[in-house]
Amino acid sequence: MNITDIYYLINGKRYTRVSAVLSYCSRDYDRVPEHYMEEARALGQQIHSYFDFINKELSFEIPEHLQNHIHNYDSWLHANVAKVIGSEMIVRSDKYRFAGRADLVAMINDTDLALIDIKTTAGKLKSHKAQTAAYTMALKEMGYNIRRRMILYIDKNTGEVNPIKLTSIQHDTNGWQSALSWYRYNKAA
């Protein structure tokens, strides 16, 4: 594993990546063959890139194999998001020294600032909730009043968008903080 897979370097300081912590603490994909994981990562990165273009209102050519994904996401975005605040935004906690990349921070219904995470995985995992809790902690520390968290599950085959609203912030935050402590405990040994 490369050091850039473990840390962000921000203003000369190392911040542990949220994804490094959660992949260390979660063994959700241990039994999946590596070539499947590589294919899934590549598709996920491609989808995230095009969704970022949409969020930033950039023009692009739509690849044939992602037409449904892009159309469905664009429709969901325009029906639910009043204003995009940040897309693929680096968020960090100076207090806890962790950082990550938030897929979307947006105003929902003109009243609620929301963190929206996009997933192209088939499973709905606890680590996804912990990730959004970590990003919410960091965003609040950065001065953003996040009032809602949501995960958009995108079916990798059909492009169907399935939004899940998350409500148990304290439980998910406890899970994140436990994972961070466990990660640092084991890495210090």
Side-chain angles (χ1 to χ4, degrees):
M1 185 174 279
N2 191 322
I3 195 160
T4 58
D5 294 333
I6 302 169
Y7 300 105
Y8 280 100
L9 188 61
I10 302 171
N11 299 327
K13 297 177 185 173
R14 289 192 326 186
Y15 289 78
T16 305
R17 285 181 177 259
V18 171
S19 58
V21 172
L22 294 175
S23 65
Y24 179 81
C25 294
S26 173
R27 301 292 178 229
D28 294 320
Y29 298 111
D30 280 357
R31 291 180 293 240
V32 178
E34 187 57 33
H35 71 278
Y36 288 126
M37 292 302 298
E38 285 300 320
E39 287 175 19
R41 271 192 286 275
L43 179 62
Q45 288 171 347
Q46 193 176 30
I47 288 172
H48 274 79
S49 292
Y50 286 111
F51 288 2
D52 185 40
F53 294 160
I54 292 169
N55 296 339
K56 293 176 178 170
E57 298 179 347
L58 302 174
S59 58
F60 59 94
E61 284 191 39
I62 300 173
E64 178 82 27
H65 70 288
L66 295 179
Q67 285 186 355
N68 288 341
H69 301 74
I70 291 167
H71 171 75
N72 293 341
Y73 176 74
D74 191 49
S75 296
W76 179 88
L77 187 77
H78 285 91
N80 294 281
V81 170
K83 181 180 180 185
V84 172
I85 304 301
S87 179
E88 294 299 324
M89 181 177 172
I90 299 292
V91 299
R92 73 175 190 275
S93 167
D94 292 322
K95 180 177 179 180
Y96 296 102
R97 291 297 283 274
F98 68 80
R101 186 180 301 272
D103 295 331
L104 181 61
V105 177
M107 291 299 294
I108 303 288
N109 303 328
D110 287 328
T111 59
D112 290 339
L113 189 58
L115 167 70
I116 302 164
D117 198 51
I118 298 166
K119 298 292 182 195
T120 55
T121 58
K124 294 169 179 60
L125 308 174
K126 286 184 179 181
S127 61
H128 297 165
K129 294 177 181 182
Q131 181 182 14
T132 64
Y135 292 171
T136 298
M137 283 177 64
L139 283 160
K140 285 185 176 182
E141 191 177 321
M142 293 169 64
Y144 293 91
N145 185 21
I146 301 296
R147 296 172 51 104
R148 292 171 67 178
R149 296 177 304 140
M150 182 180 299
I151 299 175
L152 291 185
Y153 288 99
I154 311 296
D155 185 289
K156 66 181 179 180
N157 297 314
T158 66
E160 180 183 346
V161 175
N162 181 17
I164 305 293
K165 294 177 184 173
L166 303 176
T167 56
S168 55
I169 184 65
Q170 191 57 56
H171 181 73
D172 298 340
T173 299
N174 291 344
W176 162 248
Q177 290 177 318
S178 296
L180 183 60
S181 294
W182 180 249
Y183 175 84
R184 289 187 172 151
Y185 171 80
N186 282 289
K187 293 299 181 180

